[in-house]
Amino acid sequence: MNFKSSFLFAKRILFPKSGRASIARKSLFGAVLCIGISLMPLVVVLTVSNGMIEGITGRLISLSSSHLEAVSFEKDASVLEEAAAAALNNPQVTEAYPMIEFSALAAANSKRCGISVRALPTGVFKKLKSYKELFEAKDGSIQNFNDSANAVLIGQGIAEKLCLKAGDNIRLVTASKNDLLGAVPSVKNYKVAAIVSCGYRELDALWLFMPYAQAKKLSIQSDSTHSVMCEVQDPFSKNLPQIQASLKKPLGKSFRVYRWDQLNRSQYENFSSTKILLIFIQLLIVLVAAVNISSALIMLVLERRREIAILKSLGASSKGVSLSFLMAGFACGAGGLLLGIPFGLLFSVNINGIISFAEKLLNCVFRGLYFLMNNDIINYKQIRLLDEEYYLKVIPIDIPFAELFLIGIATLLLSLAASLLPASKAGKERPLDTLRNSR
């Protein structure tokens, strides 16, 4: 029995010409459906988690720690400016700018909250691609953020806590240095030029951006951080450690250079481990679905015992019969792939619309139930499937073709592994005993 004969028998097993109803065949196509359904959430989880991790990491890298951060031990603004110019002399550094970061207390409208003040050159918001693309003005204009005006940019989270809008005044309370009294509170008023958002609430809830020229005039407390933020062509490049080492000499001994993966190690590893755990759980579901192929093929072997006996009595080999059932199992896995991956991708690319529709539907139902139970619709709180406190407002979609290819290979291998037992059983059928018992 050659390969072609095994293929034709496998085709006959899956698609018999008689078209008669068969419980085993129904179970087999049910197994295909189970594999397809189990692959859909796996593809969605993989695509969405990749997009979420890339979106959050991109914001952390570009807006929080930058690609490389050179921290100065000296609290001198002029040293920072000289170091930024020295970093730009490195051909592998595309952008470098000084930044002073310190904590402060913000107050407005009889409300107050702690904030993180980031003082940087106002041109950063107009010049750097990451700031231009990731930041969006929710109220006011970023163009009003300049050195001449006593204006600041605040994150959307702070604006909501302090009930602020563009054009309002905000007071900053900082600890100034005094030779006689030590640290003393200093209060200054600023005007809100714009309320900005980068789409990630964890960052928007803390930040207040101040012109670097204004920060130089302040007598800031000693626990402030003076840094030079450096950007390179590719932050994920394998050469990033070499670029880090090349910056140490021109910046001098008073600076210590850190990579973004060093500054955000715990958060980045947390994202990766969560993604791996989710994929592992989904793969277990696919494994359970693949087991259905084994049970369906065993039923098929029992139904086809007479045909197997006739083939073997005509000279078919045990290996050829086993190969036919392996092909049938492989075809079931391939069918599940053709069903699961395209529909999974379809759900993935429309995930934002699906979540929005689901939120509207749930809120409509629960709002009605809340009204019936409490006769009060004003105090109803909206249900959020993806809370902006922890997730991005809009999920970026990133289709990992290489990982999808590996999942496809793994699914086919699982299907073959699930087919081994019934295929072996079919190959071991004894034609004489089968034909004798079927009389």
Side-chain angles (χ1 to χ4, degrees):
M1 191 175 185
N2 57 24
F3 180 84
K4 184 178 179 180
S5 301
S6 298
F7 176 78
L8 291 173
F9 184 47
K11 184 180 177 182
R12 180 178 173 81
I13 290 171
L14 295 172
F15 307 104
K17 292 182 179 179
S18 61
R20 60 188 176 89
S22 168
I23 296 175
R25 282 185 65 246
K26 289 180 180 178
S27 299
L28 205 59
F29 287 109
V32 173
L33 186 63
C34 286
I35 291 176
I37 292 174
S38 64
L39 280 173
M40 288 181 199
L42 176 59
V43 173
V44 173
V45 165
L46 189 62
T47 306
V48 171
S49 62
N50 263 23
M52 289 288 285
I53 291 172
E54 183 180 332
I56 294 174
T57 304
R59 283 161 175 77
L60 289 173
I61 293 173
S62 301
L63 307 178
S64 181
S65 63
S66 196
H67 305 166
L68 293 164
E69 182 174 353
V71 181
S72 172
F73 299 113
E74 298 181 17
K75 311 298 182 180
D76 189 342
S78 60
V79 172
L80 281 186
E81 294 168 10
E82 292 173 3
L88 275 175
N89 291 329
N90 189 316
Q92 295 175 302
V93 176
T94 56
E95 295 290 345
Y97 57 92
M99 186 189 74
I100 301 173
E101 186 173 10
F102 56 94
S103 300
L105 180 69
N109 300 318
S110 302
K111 301 178 185 294
R112 64 186 70 86
C113 68
I115 60 170
S116 175
V117 180
R118 295 168 67 89
L120 40 77
T122 55
V124 165
F125 281 89
K126 303 170 185 176
K127 185 179 179 183
L128 266 65
K129 181 180 178 182
S130 54
Y131 278 79
K132 287 193 295 184
E133 292 182 352
L134 296 177
F135 271 111
E136 177 187 0
K138 295 295 183 179
D139 187 21
S141 174
I142 297 178
Q143 302 298 326
N144 297 330
F145 183 61
N146 53 68
D147 293 334
S148 59
N150 194 28
V152 294
L153 301 177
I154 62 173
Q156 190 175 11
I158 297 174
E160 291 173 359
K161 289 178 184 177
L162 302 181
C163 301
L164 289 170
K165 60 182 184 294
D168 290 348
N169 291 321
I170 183 172
R171 296 188 304 278
L172 293 187
V173 182
T174 59
S176 301
K177 292 181 292 184
N178 187 287
D179 295 335
L180 296 176
L181 302 176
V184 295
S186 174
V187 182
K188 288 188 178 295
N189 289 321
Y190 295 92
K191 186 177 181 180
V192 178
I195 297 168
V196 296
S197 172
C198 67
Y200 186 38
R201 192 60 170 268
E202 187 173 330
L203 299 179
D204 292 342
L206 296 173
W207 280 348
L208 180 145
F209 294 96
M210 175 186 292
Y212 184 76
Q214 295 288 338
K216 288 196 297 183
K217 301 175 183 178
L218 297 177
S219 179
I220 306 168
Q221 67 271 32
S222 59
D223 62 345
S224 61
T225 303
H226 288 57
S227 308
V228 173
M229 315 300 280
C230 304
E231 290 193 1
V232 297
Q233 192 69 33
D234 181 13
F236 299 95
S237 171
K238 295 179 180 179
N239 297 325
L240 196 61
Q242 285 76 19
I243 302 174
Q244 177 190 20
S246 67
L247 284 173
K248 291 180 180 179
K249 187 176 180 179
L251 294 182
K253 295 181 180 180
S254 62
F255 282 86
R256 181 167 293 177
V257 184
Y258 299 95
R259 301 190 307 273
W260 69 266
D261 56 329
Q262 293 174 322
L263 295 169
N264 303 292
R265 184 184 299 276
S266 59
Q267 195 161 10
Y268 192 68
E269 288 180 354
N270 182 42
F271 291 152
S272 300
S273 59
T274 303
K275 173 186 171 182
I276 291 170
L277 182 61
L278 287 171
I279 292 173
F280 176 72
I281 293 171
Q282 294 296 328
L283 281 175
L284 287 179
I285 298 173
V286 176
L287 177 61
V288 172
V291 172
N292 290 333
I293 294 177
S294 181
S295 59
L297 284 177
I298 288 175
M299 293 176 64
L300 202 59
V301 170
L302 295 175
E303 281 189 358
R304 299 282 178 167
R305 290 183 69 186
R306 185 177 177 83
E307 289 184 38
I308 294 170
I310 293 172
L311 284 172
K312 295 191 83 172
S313 65
L314 293 174
S317 63
S318 298
K319 290 182 179 180
V321 174
S322 297
L323 181 60
S324 296
F325 282 89
L326 283 175
M327 287 180 179
F330 183 85
C332 289
L337 276 178
L338 293 175
L339 178 66
I341 289 184
F343 277 96
L345 290 175
L346 184 64
F347 276 104
S348 298
V349 297
N350 295 287
I351 191 66
N352 289 297
I354 292 171
I355 291 175
S356 177
F357 175 77
E359 282 183 351
K360 290 178 181 177
L361 184 63
L362 284 173
N363 280 298
C364 182
V365 173
F366 282 98
R367 190 184 290 110
L369 292 173
Y370 187 85
F371 177 74
L372 291 174
M373 295 174 65
N374 301 283
N375 294 321
D376 179 19
I377 202 68
I378 299 174
N379 295 321
Y380 174 77
K381 293 183 179 179
Q382 293 283 334
I383 296 173
R384 302 290 296 178
L385 295 180
L386 289 179
D387 195 338
E388 294 178 5
E389 294 287 341
Y390 310 103
Y391 302 100
L392 297 175
K393 291 180 181 178
V394 178
I395 301 174
I397 304 303
D398 176 40
I399 301 176
F401 291 102
E403 293 177 8
L404 289 177
F405 177 76
L406 291 176
I407 287 172
I409 296 297
T411 302
L412 294 177
L413 291 176
L414 283 174
S415 302
L416 281 175
S419 307
L420 285 175
L421 181 61
S424 176
K425 181 177 175 61
K428 292 178 181 178
E429 286 288 334
R430 296 181 179 180
L432 188 60
D433 293 342
T434 304
L435 293 173
R436 186 182 296 159
N437 294 331
S438 62
R439 288 180 180 178

